[in-house]
């Protein structure tokens, strides 16, 4: 018989609706039930494409004996971290503080007042590798709650007091909340240089995550300073990922991370946010290298990866309503009834021969790095593009790829989490809009526009408040958090630059005004949840990047761009105050505040403001518009339209910018102080090279 989760919309919660565990969703009623019964709360946090979440569910939550123990002595609460990032953040902070590590599934035991007192992540069904079994943990917690209740309460109280006592204000420069200076951005670059893997690309060791936000900083730093080292790190990392197993060599798109430092074996889940961020980063890499790239060089590689990743998002993640689904699972049926990780993506030599025949299978094995021993499990290999330093038969490679992709399409597909997350759709809108205009793909720009329309129609209410998620065109109950407002605003501003439709600037302004009112403290620091959001044991506040830009630095970037387009000193001041945390952390932890560093580069450069005026269907206007969009000056904003009328009303940057001798013209400005206008796209391009 289904439990309470059967009434939820989250695909992750619905996966647990038939468990024998009597799950509750996160709600006041769940904690009231714990108070009524006098029992602790088990909080289990995960997400639908999480491999170990599936494992623990199968081993423990589907076990009737474990369920009986849970149901009798606990109130069990299940949370989708992608729907409630605030709940996840608060308790993950406690887990990491207590254990020194974190991850999902996250397992936390709480008092009926939601105060945590015992922590963990995955627990096995029997003792293993020094870990207690989940059953032992339940019995231990039950015993402590029954026999030492006062002690448990004291522990919980100390933990909550410790969390409440932590303040980011201590990390900010005393009385000097300002963007980083050039020397501080250089220090951040030196920090990245020390951590760069010069052999395999990327930063740090295994597991290795795609450093998309750091790539953006490196490209912007190179554009501003001409630093060859910054560009080399970006190029080597991007090339290594594109040739590695973390990239789907058949269907495009990136997996979540590599379990090794060589980018060979991925954790196979494919997330919308990773692919949106990396699509945009590769498009920007192409923009930075296209002028000097020889045919077949890095510029061509970056172009291919950006387009294939964009096509993957539209093909595999687009929903019927025009938004983008959250993820594809790592696991799928391997054809024998077993649900295993990577089954959809890996190949053995025998499987290659079955599809391609002996000779083409031999070619494919060399081309994709498939070995008899295998690079993954049970003799299977993850497809890569090993650098053989030899000529490649391009037509044969394309034929092999096409046949393997068609054969793979017949395999059981990974599950799809089809909820639409506002923040991640904002990232996708920015990536698709820019990739579409760079490579003359109006279908991608249209996909970005459709997703933006969905966010306005379904996720945004009349007060410019966002719902974090939707599914099947219906908004979920959870309120948007800071990164929703920031990344959706960023997406709208990128779409406005790409299309010349100023209404998207207006919508971004509505969202950013909410950021100023609901998420900004008097000292200029930013909170992850709104002032009127549900009260948790701590109001989360994290400026560091995780898998996506932090809400804090994403807001700084959107505020800065909006100020450049509108001349709003209020939004500019808010952006500069928010960048104070980058000044504090940039040289100490550059890998974890990459987007903040990228925004700081834009603030230092201006950013430059380009007003392109002229009839939108005039080829001369289009040429100027394209030259503006391809400018590499960090954070350049672009407005397109007539110098008067509706366009100028929506985007003040266009006001009082006349045509030149009756011809379309471009004005390059900083802080609304403009150089003389130009009608020459080449001259405009030269002005937008730092």
């Amino acid at each position: 018989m289904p439990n309470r989760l059967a009434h939820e919309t989250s695909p992750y919660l619905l996966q647990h609706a038939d468990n024998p565990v009597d799950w509750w969703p996160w709600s006041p009623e769940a904690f009231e039930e714990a108070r009524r019964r006098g029992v602790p709360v088990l909080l289990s946090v995960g997400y639908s494409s999480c491999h170990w979440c599936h494992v623990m569910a199968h081993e423990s939550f589907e076990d009737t004996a474990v369920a009986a123990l849970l149901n009798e002595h606990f109130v069990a609460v299940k949370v989708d971290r992608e729907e409630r990032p605030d709940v996840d953040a608060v308790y993950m902070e406690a887990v990491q503080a207590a254990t020194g590590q974190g991850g999902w599934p996250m397992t936390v035991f709480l008092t009926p007042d939601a105060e945590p007192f015992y922590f963990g992540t995955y627990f096995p069904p029997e003792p293993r590798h020094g870990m207690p079994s989940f059953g032992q943990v339940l019995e231990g917690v039950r015993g402590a709650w029954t026999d030492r209740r006062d002690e448990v309460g004291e522990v919980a109280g100390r933990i909550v007091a410790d969390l409440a006592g932590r303040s980011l204000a201590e990390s900010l420069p005393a009385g000097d909340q300002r963007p980083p200076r050039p020397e501080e951005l250089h220090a951040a670059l030196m920090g990245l240089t020390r951590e760069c893997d010069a052999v395999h690309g990327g930063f740090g060791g295994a597991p290795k995550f795609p450093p998309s936000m750091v790539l953006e900083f490196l490209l912007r730093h190179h554009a501003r300073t001409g630093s060859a080292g910054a560009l080399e790190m970006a190029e080597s990392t991007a090339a290594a990922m594109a040739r590695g197993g973390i990239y789907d060599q058949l269907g495009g798109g990136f997996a979540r991370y590599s379990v090794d430092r060589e980018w060979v074996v991925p954790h196979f889940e494919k997330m919308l946010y990773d692919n949106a961020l990396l699509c945009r980063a590769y498009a920007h890499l192409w923009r930075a290298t296209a002028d000097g790239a020889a045919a077949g060089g890095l510029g061509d590689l970056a172009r291919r990866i950006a387009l294939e990743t964009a096509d993957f998002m539209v093909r595999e993640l687009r929903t019927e309503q025009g938004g983008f689904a959250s993820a594809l699972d790592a696991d799928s049926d391997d054809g024998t009834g077993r649900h295993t990780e990577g089954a959809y993506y890996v190949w053995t030599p025998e499987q290659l021969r079955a599809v391609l025949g002996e000779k083409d299978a031999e070619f494919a094995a060399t081309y994709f790095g498939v070995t008899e021993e295998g690079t993954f499990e049970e003799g299977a290999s993850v497809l890569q593009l090993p650098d053989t330093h030899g000529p490649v038969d391009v037509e044969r490679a394309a034929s092999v790829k096409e046949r393997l992709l068609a054969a793979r399409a017949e395999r059981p597909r990974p599950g799809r989490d089809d909820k639409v997350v506002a923040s991640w759709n904002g990232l996708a809108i920015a990536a698709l809009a820019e990739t579409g205009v760079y490579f003359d793909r109006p279908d991608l720009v249209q996909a970005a526009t459709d997703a933006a329309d969905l966010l306005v129609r379904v996720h945004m209410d009349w007060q410019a408040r966002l719902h974090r998620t939707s599914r099947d065109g219906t908004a979920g109950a959870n309120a948007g958090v800071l990164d929703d407002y920031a990344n959706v605003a960023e997406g709208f501003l990128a779409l406005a630059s790409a299309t010349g439709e100023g209404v998207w600037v207006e919508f971004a302004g509505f969202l950013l005004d909410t950021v100023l009112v609901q998420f900004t403290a008097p000292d200029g620091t930013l909170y992850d949840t709104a002032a009127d959001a549900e009260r948790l044991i701590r109001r989360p506040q994290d400026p560091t990047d995780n898998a996506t830009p932090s809400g804090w630095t994403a807001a700084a970037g959107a505020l800065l761009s909006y100020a450049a387009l509108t001349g709003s000193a209020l939004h500019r001041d808010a952006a500069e105050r928010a960048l104070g945390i980058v000044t504090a952390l940039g040289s100490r932890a550059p890998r974890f505040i990459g987007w903040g560093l990228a925004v700081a580069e834009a603030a230092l450069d201006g950013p430059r403001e380009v007003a392109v005026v002229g009839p939108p269907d005039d080829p001369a206007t289009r040429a100027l518009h394209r030259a503006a969009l391809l400018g590499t000056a960090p954070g350049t904003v672009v407005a397109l339209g007539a110098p008067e009328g509706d366009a100028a009303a929506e985007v003040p940057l266009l006001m009082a910018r006349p045509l030149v001798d009756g011809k379309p013209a471009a004005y390059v400005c900083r802080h609304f102080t403009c150089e003389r206008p130009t009608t020459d796209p080449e001259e405009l391009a030269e002005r937008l090279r730092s």
Side-chain angles (χ1 to χ4, degrees):
M1 181 177 177
N3 55 47
R4 293 173 186 82
L5 301 186
H7 305 293
E8 297 297 307
T9 58
S10 159
Y12 175 64
L13 298 186
L14 290 172
Q15 289 171 1
H16 295 267
D18 292 320
N19 290 170
V21 176
D22 187 19
W23 290 112
W24 292 70
W26 179 275
S27 60
E29 291 78 11
F31 290 93
E32 181 57 38
E33 175 69 4
R35 276 188 287 272
R36 185 186 69 78
R37 291 174 49 198
V39 297
V41 172
L42 164 71
L43 173 63
S44 176
V45 182
Y47 56 105
S48 73
S49 56
C50 166
H51 171 71
W52 287 103
C53 299
H54 294 315
V55 171
M56 189 168 177
H58 177 67
E59 292 175 340
S60 296
F61 301 141
E62 295 173 8
D63 183 276
T64 55
V66 170
L69 182 59
L70 264 175
N71 295 341
E72 183 176 356
H73 299 291
F74 301 85
V75 168
V77 173
K78 177 62 76 171
V79 167
D80 182 342
R81 66 176 294 261
E82 296 172 351
E83 283 198 330
R84 292 300 303 263
D86 51 340
V87 172
D88 177 64
V90 164
Y91 292 104
M92 183 60 74
E93 185 177 7
V95 171
Q96 291 173 329
T99 68
Q101 60 186 10
W104 300 275
M106 177 168 61
T107 306
V108 186
F109 293 89
L110 315 175
T111 70
D113 293 323
E115 297 178 334
F117 63 88
Y118 189 79
F119 314 90
T121 52
Y122 164 79
F123 289 106
E126 60 274 324
R128 187 186 303 161
H129 307 303
M131 288 189 292
S133 71
F134 187 53
Q136 288 174 325
V137 170
L138 293 177
E139 288 288 4
V141 171
R142 181 180 72 85
W145 183 260
T146 301
D147 301 331
R148 304 188 302 279
R149 180 84 56 91
D150 290 344
E151 181 182 334
V152 168
E154 290 175 7
V155 169
R158 286 198 302 269
I159 291 169
V160 171
D162 177 65
L163 292 174
R166 300 183 181 199
S167 172
L168 278 173
E170 299 172 1
S171 300
L172 290 168
D176 188 20
Q177 285 179 246
R178 55 169 178 79
R181 299 186 177 103
E183 60 271 20
E184 291 161 332
L185 292 174
H186 178 72
L189 178 68
M190 292 300 98
L192 290 170
T193 302
R194 288 189 294 272
E195 296 188 64
C196 181
D197 184 337
V199 177
H200 304 293
F203 301 89
K208 193 174 275 185
F209 290 79
S212 50
M213 289 78 81
V214 169
L215 291 179
E216 294 285 4
F217 163 62
L218 293 172
L219 292 174
R220 289 186 178 188
H221 190 78
H222 165 71
R224 184 179 61 82
T225 68
S227 168
L231 183 60
E232 183 180 349
M233 281 191 284
E235 289 179 329
S236 64
T237 297
M241 291 192 300
R243 300 183 71 87
I246 192 172
Y247 184 70
D248 182 351
Q249 302 296 342
L250 296 183
F254 288 85
R256 179 68 195 91
Y257 63 85
S258 174
V259 300
D260 55 87
R261 65 181 301 178
E262 293 86 8
W263 306 104
V264 175
V265 178
H267 186 43
F268 291 90
E269 60 186 332
K270 291 168 108 174
M271 311 300 298
L272 173 62
Y273 52 73
D274 284 317
N275 285 284
L277 289 165
L278 287 166
C279 175
R280 198 180 191 193
Y282 277 90
H284 291 169
L285 177 61
W286 170 83
R287 184 177 63 179
T289 59
D291 287 347
L298 186 62
D300 283 350
L301 177 67
R303 179 184 188 277
R304 176 173 69 82
I305 299 301
L307 283 170
E308 288 180 355
T309 303
D311 286 336
F312 157 74
M313 287 191 286
V314 173
R315 183 183 67 248
E316 302 286 346
L317 296 178
R318 196 178 190 196
T319 68
E320 291 183 7
Q321 294 75 31
F324 290 91
S326 297
L328 298 181
D329 283 359
D331 303 358
S332 58
D333 192 314
D334 65 1
T336 69
R338 292 190 309 160
H339 213 62
T340 59
E341 184 179 2
Y344 187 70
Y345 299 102
V346 298
W347 295 82
T348 63
E350 181 181 356
Q351 289 171 327
L352 293 181
R353 287 190 289 269
V355 174
L356 302 172
E358 195 70 38
K359 290 186 178 180
D360 277 352
E362 184 178 349
F363 169 83
T366 301
Y367 184 71
F368 287 122
V370 176
T371 67
E372 292 292 341
E373 298 80 13
T375 57
F376 183 51
E377 297 172 354
E378 299 180 7
S381 292
V382 182
L383 301 190
Q384 310 168 67
L385 289 181
D387 189 356
T388 58
H389 303 288
V392 173
D393 185 334
V394 176
E395 290 187 5
R396 189 179 190 186
S399 171
V400 162
K401 179 177 175 179
E402 183 179 354
R403 284 182 282 163
L404 290 177
L405 184 61
R408 192 179 79 175
E410 300 301 316
R411 295 176 174 179
R413 300 180 64 82
R416 187 174 85 159
D417 183 333
D418 59 358
K419 71 175 178 294
V420 172
V421 177
S423 171
W424 306 348
N425 274 254
L427 297 174
I429 290 164
L432 293 171
E434 292 182 353
T435 303
V437 294
Y438 293 171
F439 305 122
D440 195 23
R441 286 282 303 275
D443 59 312
L444 297 180
V445 179
Q446 186 60 53
T449 303
D450 291 344
D453 284 337
L454 177 73
L455 293 181
V456 171
R457 286 187 293 105
V458 174
H459 286 250
M460 187 186 297
D461 67 19
W462 66 276
Q463 294 177 306
R465 302 303 294 271
L466 284 173
H467 296 271
R468 177 158 175 86
T469 62
S470 69
R471 190 163 184 249
D472 297 331
T474 300
N478 297 307
V481 294
L482 178 60
D483 76 319
D484 293 305
Y485 287 84
N487 287 326
V488 171
E490 173 80 13
F492 286 174
L493 293 171
L495 186 60
S497 290
T499 63
E501 295 178 3
V503 67
W504 299 115
V505 177
E506 290 192 303
F507 280 128
F510 298 151
L511 297 176
L512 293 173
D513 286 345
T514 300
V515 169
L516 296 179
V517 172
Q518 288 287 341
F519 293 88
T520 306
D523 62 1
T525 59
L526 291 158
Y527 286 97
D528 294 330
T529 54
D532 59 2
E534 177 188 352
R535 287 283 182 261
L536 303 174
I537 59 170
R538 169 178 166 84
R539 191 178 180 190
Q541 186 183 42
D542 186 358
T544 58
D545 297 333
N546 197 295
T548 62
S550 71
W552 185 316
T553 57
L559 287 163
L560 186 70
S561 296
Y562 181 78
L565 287 165
T566 64
S568 169
L570 177 67
H571 293 81
R572 174 80 190 200
D573 290 346
E576 291 188 349
R577 288 197 306 271
L579 287 173
I581 197 69
V582 184
T583 304
L585 299 180
S587 61
R588 287 189 276 162
R591 283 173 57 193
F592 304 102
I593 200 157
W595 187 248
L597 292 166
V599 175
E601 288 285 353
L604 198 60
D605 192 69
R608 302 189 206 190
E609 308 144 358
V610 185
V612 178
V613 294
D617 56 350
D618 188 322
T621 305
R622 292 200 298 268
L624 288 168
H625 184 219
R626 179 171 177 79
L629 292 170
L630 292 178
T632 56
T636 297
V637 299
V638 179
L640 169 67
E644 54 193 24
D646 291 343
E650 292 167 340
V651 188
L653 181 60
L654 292 168
M655 295 180 68
R657 312 281 184 218
L659 303 178
V660 174
D661 297 328
K663 297 178 182 179
Y667 294 75
V668 178
C669 317
R670 289 184 185 178
H671 309 305
F672 276 65
T673 300
C674 301
E675 304 172 9
R676 64 172 179 80
T678 180
T679 60
D680 183 356
E682 291 187 8
E683 182 182 349
L684 175 59
E686 185 60 35
R687 291 188 191 180
L688 294 178
R689 294 187 184 98
S690 288

